[in-house]
Amino acid sequence: MAILGRGQWWALIQTSAAANGVDPHGMYRLMMIESGGNAAAVSPGGYRGLFQYLPVTWAGSWNPCRSLSITDGAAQIRATGVALRLGYGPVWWGSSYSLAFGG
């Protein structure tokens, strides 16, 4: 069941977070900081999607969803759960990660 006010991505975030041992609330906050929940978001620096990946990062071998579109919101959620489990959070998202996860 989705929490009121969490929007269309909440159920997928909960699933990805559970599968990867990640705090779903932190993951949700990270998404909102990065894109406001807009899967089509593109930054002036070329970052794309819900979690604002560069295309070269998205295409990396770490990403089980790399064959899917970088603006596929569900794919970004699944991939971000993996990225966080692998420890990329503080490096890739810097201050956004700290704000989202309180670290």
Side-chain angles (χ1 to χ4, degrees):
M1 180 175 185
I3 293 177
L4 186 63
R6 292 289 177 159
Q8 66 177 330
W9 305 116
W10 180 240
L12 292 172
I13 287 173
Q14 287 179 301
T15 299
S16 180
N20 289 286
V22 175
D23 173 17
H25 300 285
M27 198 168 159
Y28 176 83
R29 286 188 296 266
L30 182 62
M31 176 190 72
M32 294 306 290
I33 291 166
E34 292 296 322
S35 71
N38 178 2
V42 179
S43 78
Y47 294 85
R48 302 178 187 286
L50 291 175
F51 293 91
Q52 294 291 282
Y53 286 95
L54 283 174
V56 67
T57 304
W58 183 254
S61 62
W62 68 272
N63 183 2
C65 300
R66 64 186 168 272
S67 66
L68 301 173
S69 172
I70 195 170
T71 58
D72 178 329
Q76 277 225 1
I77 290 168
R78 288 191 304 274
T80 300
V82 171
L84 294 171
R85 176 175 48 82
L86 293 173
Y88 295 132
V91 177
W92 289 355
W93 290 283
S95 61
S96 296
Y97 177 85
S98 295
L99 288 169
F101 288 92

